[in-house]
Amino acid sequence: MSETQTIQLRNGHDPQSDESPMPILPPISRKKQAAVLFSAFGSLALTIGYNQCFGIFQEYYLSDDQDVLIPSPASQSSPPTALLAFVGTLCYGLTWAGGILVNPIIPRIEHGKWDATPSTRLWRRRALRLLRPRTGFLAGMGMSLLYFPVLAPAPEYFTKHRATAMGFILAGGGAGGLLLTFLLRALLTTLGGRWTLRVYALLNLVLGLPIAYSVPPSRFSLSTSSHASIDHPRRNTHVSRALAVRSTFILSSIAAFLQAAGAQLPLSFIPSYSVGLGLSASKGANFLAAANAINAVSRIFTGYIGDRVGRQNTLIITLLFAAVSVFTFWLGSILTFSPSHPSGSGQALWYAFIAFYSSSIGGYYGLFPAFIADVFGIRQYAAVNAFVLFVRGLGTMFGSPVGGQLLGSHGGKGGAGIAEYERVVYWDGALLMAATVCCVGVRWADAKGKGWRWVA
């Protein structure tokens, strides 16, 4: 294999494109590919990994030992489970939703187009007024500023093995969740909630700076100097009206909303449901860590499979399996659980659910970036990805809070509250099944426009 490769992509060969001709992108070295892989992996570990661990905080806030919330939720007759779930999903949602603001800024900075005008100065001052601790948005928006500049150019550096590469990058979320679950649990036990958050903030600063420094720029910005005569050398950052009305775009957006609403919900309740089964809080944390570990491996494996049997095909299958696991293993755990015999089949089916669900839901995360690049073209990737992740952010802030509202005040209260999770299971399974149907619709609409291929 050669040390570098030059990829010539022109929109004239892409039936999904309605933009100007694609510039010839500069060569890719293995060194740059490695920098993209490991910087993006680290960024995902710090951002998505932390968000996937919020179940640890949620269980902590509902316990008698917490030192952050006054009055303590454990002392209330009806603990605010839905509100606590919304706190975690707000951070997660803003990490993704912030891309609709962050993504258009990135290429302008790369191309030196971030000029100061009276209008831009006014908007900057207004934005800065919002960046105060009391607004509650700082964590999510800060993670978005670390997440998108690293992830946005990543698919541009890979072609044939794009799904495998993106699977490795997105495995950083599961790997970070695995490590942070143990770290945060230990810190909460020894230092309490406030100092745990301070330590994690310092960790972000120490590790985030070298990650940000190592990020390669977009290949579209690198092509400007040698192809200055080409019009519109920047990658697109806004969804055009022609693109927005396509059935593939509409169905992809709906699928993203529904999948995000359903996928995060089990992770939010793994610790509290485990406690409800009669297990210890530490075991609940271990199950969440195991789910993140399986999720990380699954993202790499499904990316590898997707490069060979089709990324759209693999994405649909893994999403369907995730929905099936909710209706079989999790629902079966609830229906067969007996308070008089808590270590019976209810717990066994719960273990099976964690293993099966974590391995299947990871496929969507690992394949979706390559899925977008395949369906809409690499020139459109930044714009479509930013909008779709914005929609995913909204979905994340929708699924778990509704699940918490359906659960009411019974989560984590022992066997008597296990039956209440049945409503959560039906809600979660319906969201994932509807997302699967939408992804099938994208597969059909894309094949209708480009011609049917079994491997797609």
Side-chain angles (χ1 to χ4, degrees):
M1 184 181 291
S2 60
E3 181 68 19
T4 62
Q5 54 179 315
T6 302
I7 301 175
Q8 299 184 9
L9 300 173
R10 296 187 180 277
N11 283 353
H13 300 294
D14 182 4
Q16 293 291 328
S17 177
D18 57 0
E19 303 297 330
S20 57
M22 172 78 78
I24 300 175
L25 300 180
I28 308 172
S29 69
R30 292 180 180 177
K31 182 178 180 181
K32 288 183 178 179
Q33 287 181 323
V36 170
L37 283 174
F38 290 103
S39 61
F41 183 94
S43 173
L44 268 289
L46 288 176
T47 55
I48 304 303
Y50 172 82
N51 285 322
Q52 291 186 175
C53 292
F54 184 77
I56 296 294
F57 284 100
Q58 181 161 308
E59 189 276 328
Y60 172 77
Y61 292 143
L62 289 170
S63 70
D64 296 321
D65 301 326
Q66 71 89 26
D67 62 351
V68 178
L69 304 177
I70 302 175
S72 174
S75 65
Q76 302 177 34
S77 58
S78 297
T81 307
L83 182 59
L84 290 174
F86 178 73
V87 171
T89 56
L90 177 64
C91 182
Y92 207 159
L94 288 174
T95 302
W96 284 337
I100 206 166
L101 300 176
V102 175
N103 221 45
I105 297 174
I106 300 170
R108 286 164 173 78
I109 294 176
E110 291 174 341
H111 290 263
K113 301 294 185 181
W114 192 240
D115 301 324
T117 65
S119 176
T120 58
R121 291 193 190 99
L122 176 61
W123 281 107
R124 290 176 197 175
R125 287 196 298 269
R126 290 177 178 176
L128 288 174
R129 293 193 192 105
L130 296 176
L131 298 181
R132 298 175 181 176
R134 294 181 68 85
T135 61
F137 299 145
L138 283 180
M141 289 303 299
M143 289 183 180
S144 187
L145 288 167
L146 179 61
Y147 177 88
F148 276 97
V150 182
L151 197 65
E156 302 167 13
Y157 283 82
F158 306 94
T159 52
K160 183 178 179 180
H161 303 292
R162 180 177 290 148
T164 305
M166 295 306 298
F168 175 83
I169 289 171
L170 291 163
L178 170 64
L179 298 175
L180 289 174
T181 295
F182 293 115
L183 175 63
L184 294 173
R185 178 67 187 171
L187 290 174
L188 286 171
T189 302
T190 57
L191 301 180
R194 297 181 185 276
W195 273 104
T196 295
L197 294 173
R198 290 167 184 151
V199 170
Y200 180 71
L202 180 62
L203 181 68
N204 265 284
L205 179 64
V206 172
L207 298 181
L209 285 176
I211 289 173
Y213 181 78
S214 63
V215 177
S218 167
R219 293 179 66 211
F220 288 97
S221 67
L222 295 175
S223 68
T224 305
S225 59
S226 58
H227 301 85
S229 61
I230 299 177
D231 294 333
H232 310 294
R234 292 201 311 247
R235 53 187 165 148
N236 296 330
T237 58
H238 298 285
V239 175
S240 66
R241 181 179 300 178
L243 179 61
V245 298
R246 289 180 184 164
S247 56
T248 50
F249 180 82
I250 295 171
L251 288 172
S252 296
S253 300
I254 297 173
F257 179 89
L258 294 171
Q259 191 275 343
Q264 183 64 17
L265 197 151
L267 295 178
S268 298
F269 292 106
I270 282 177
S272 61
Y273 183 82
S274 299
V275 172
L277 287 174
L279 302 170
S280 65
S282 61
K283 284 189 176 181
N286 291 340
F287 289 146
L288 182 58
N292 282 313
I294 296 170
N295 193 299
V297 175
S298 170
R299 296 183 189 199
I300 302 174
F301 179 74
T302 53
Y304 177 83
I305 296 297
D307 281 330
R308 282 150 182 79
V309 304
R311 295 149 187 173
Q312 296 185 49
N313 296 337
T314 311
L315 183 146
I316 291 170
I317 293 171
T318 55
L319 190 54
L320 176 62
F321 281 0
V324 170
S325 71
V326 172
F327 283 124
T328 54
F329 297 117
W330 193 3
L331 183 60
S333 172
I334 296 170
L335 296 178
T336 60
F337 175 77
S338 172
S340 60
H341 186 55
S343 61
S345 58
Q347 287 188 8
L349 288 171
W350 177 237
Y351 304 153
F353 169 74
I354 291 174
F356 198 89
Y357 177 81
S358 302
S359 60
S360 55
I361 201 64
Y364 183 93
Y365 293 105
L367 291 165
F368 200 71
F371 168 86
I372 292 176
D374 287 350
V375 174
F376 301 101
I378 196 65
R379 182 75 179 269
Q380 300 281 10
Y381 173 82
V384 175
N385 188 57
F387 183 85
V388 167
L389 287 181
F390 170 74
V391 172
R392 283 180 60 80
L394 299 180
T396 300
M397 292 185 281
F398 175 70
S400 293
V402 173
Q405 190 66 37
L406 292 173
L407 181 60
S409 60
H410 299 284
K413 294 296 182 182
I418 285 297
E420 302 297 331
Y421 280 91
E422 185 174 346
R423 292 176 293 183
V424 179
V425 168
Y426 285 124
W427 167 244
D428 188 39
L431 290 171
L432 294 175
M433 193 62 73
T436 305
V437 172
C438 289
C439 286
V440 172
V442 175
R443 175 79 167 89
W444 176 83
D446 187 56
K448 184 179 179 181
K450 298 178 181 177
W452 176 261
R453 293 178 299 161
W454 284 106
V455 178

